[in-house]
């Protein structure tokens, strides 16, 4: 079906095992949704997941994809990414930090690594009294393709 790198396979198998131990029923379709997100480099939308998986699971409906995403979200396996373009995209929930650059025009999301912002977490704890468990960083702007289009049309920002 989908090509999966060994590290992705190991990660997915560990997640599947953990979910089963929690009593989550693991259907072929749920596993397929998880694997599709784990192997994606584009942070897929619900519609993209549905289109990708429908040929392999003809009885799968869009509602099935939504329902499986909800289960994976509820168990903190995946996370929702709001692109600001009325489109929600999905990514694997990772305990190691990676950040996202989001195009404000087309909604494209690109991962990038940066040292953890532990100083910001410590300041947030000191100022708020919260015990900070995680943070998330998104930077927004125009991707190279949208920037070029804007430049060509004279709408460069």
């Amino acid at each position: 079906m989908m090509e999966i790198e060994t590290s992705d396979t190991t990660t997915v198998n560990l997640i599947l095992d953990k979910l089963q131990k929690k009593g989550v029923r693991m259907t072929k379709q749920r596993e397929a949704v998880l694997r599709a997100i784990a192997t994606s480099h584009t942070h897929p939308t619900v519609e993209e997941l549905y289109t990708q998986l429908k040929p392999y699971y003809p009885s799968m409906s869009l509602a099935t994809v939504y329902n499986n995403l909800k289960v994976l979200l509820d168990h903190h396996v995946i996370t929702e990414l709001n692109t600001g373009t009325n489109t929600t995209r999905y990514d694997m929930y990772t305990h190691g930090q990676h950040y996202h650059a989001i195009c404000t025009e087309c909604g494209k999301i690109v991962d990038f690594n940066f040292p953890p912002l532990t100083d910001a977490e410590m300041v947030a704890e000191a100022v708020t009294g919260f015990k900070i468990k995680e943070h998330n960083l998104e930077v927004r702007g125009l991707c190279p393709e949208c920037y070029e289009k804007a430049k060509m049309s004279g709408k460069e920002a």
Side-chain angles (χ1 to χ4, degrees):
M1 181 167 120
M2 293 174 263
E3 293 253 343
I4 300 177
E5 293 180 24
T6 306
S7 62
D8 292 333
T9 301
T10 303
T11 301
V12 169
N13 289 340
L14 289 170
I15 292 168
L16 291 171
D17 187 50
K18 187 182 281 188
L19 288 171
Q20 285 176 326
K21 286 179 180 169
K22 287 182 170 182
V24 176
R25 196 169 127 249
M26 203 45 59
T27 64
K28 292 283 185 200
Q29 293 175 341
R30 184 164 296 147
E31 183 178 338
V33 169
L34 177 60
R35 288 188 188 282
I37 295 169
T39 58
S40 173
H41 297 287
T42 62
H43 307 90
T45 65
V46 173
E47 292 79 11
E48 289 168 348
L49 288 165
Y50 175 73
T51 301
Q52 178 184 348
L53 297 173
K54 182 71 174 167
Y56 302 102
Y57 301 92
S59 65
M60 180 183 276
S61 68
L62 197 55
T64 301
V65 178
Y66 274 107
N67 291 336
N68 282 303
L69 289 170
K70 180 171 180 354
V71 169
L72 297 172
L73 283 164
D74 288 349
H75 285 87
H76 307 286
V77 172
I78 62 171
T79 186
E80 288 181 320
L81 303 171
N82 184 329
T83 64
T85 60
N86 294 327
T87 303
T88 300
R89 295 186 168 273
Y90 297 89
D91 195 9
M92 293 298 292
Y93 180 84
T94 56
H95 293 285
Q97 289 294 328
H98 75 269
Y99 303 111
H100 298 104
I102 301 174
C103 180
T104 54
E105 185 65 29
C106 70
K108 177 180 181 178
I109 301 173
V110 178
D111 292 341
F112 67 95
N113 292 311
F114 190 78
L117 301 174
T118 50
D119 289 347
E121 289 179 350
M122 290 187 317
V123 169
E125 283 188 354
V127 170
T128 66
F130 282 42
K131 177 63 182 154
I132 305 299
K133 294 182 178 183
E134 64 184 8
H135 68 270
N136 134 7
L137 173 71
E138 297 173 349
V139 294
R140 296 177 183 270
L142 295 178
C143 69
E145 295 81 11
C146 290
Y147 179 75
E148 283 304 314
K149 285 180 194 171
K151 218 163 69 169
M152 298 295 272
S153 68
K155 297 179 184 174
E156 186 178 342

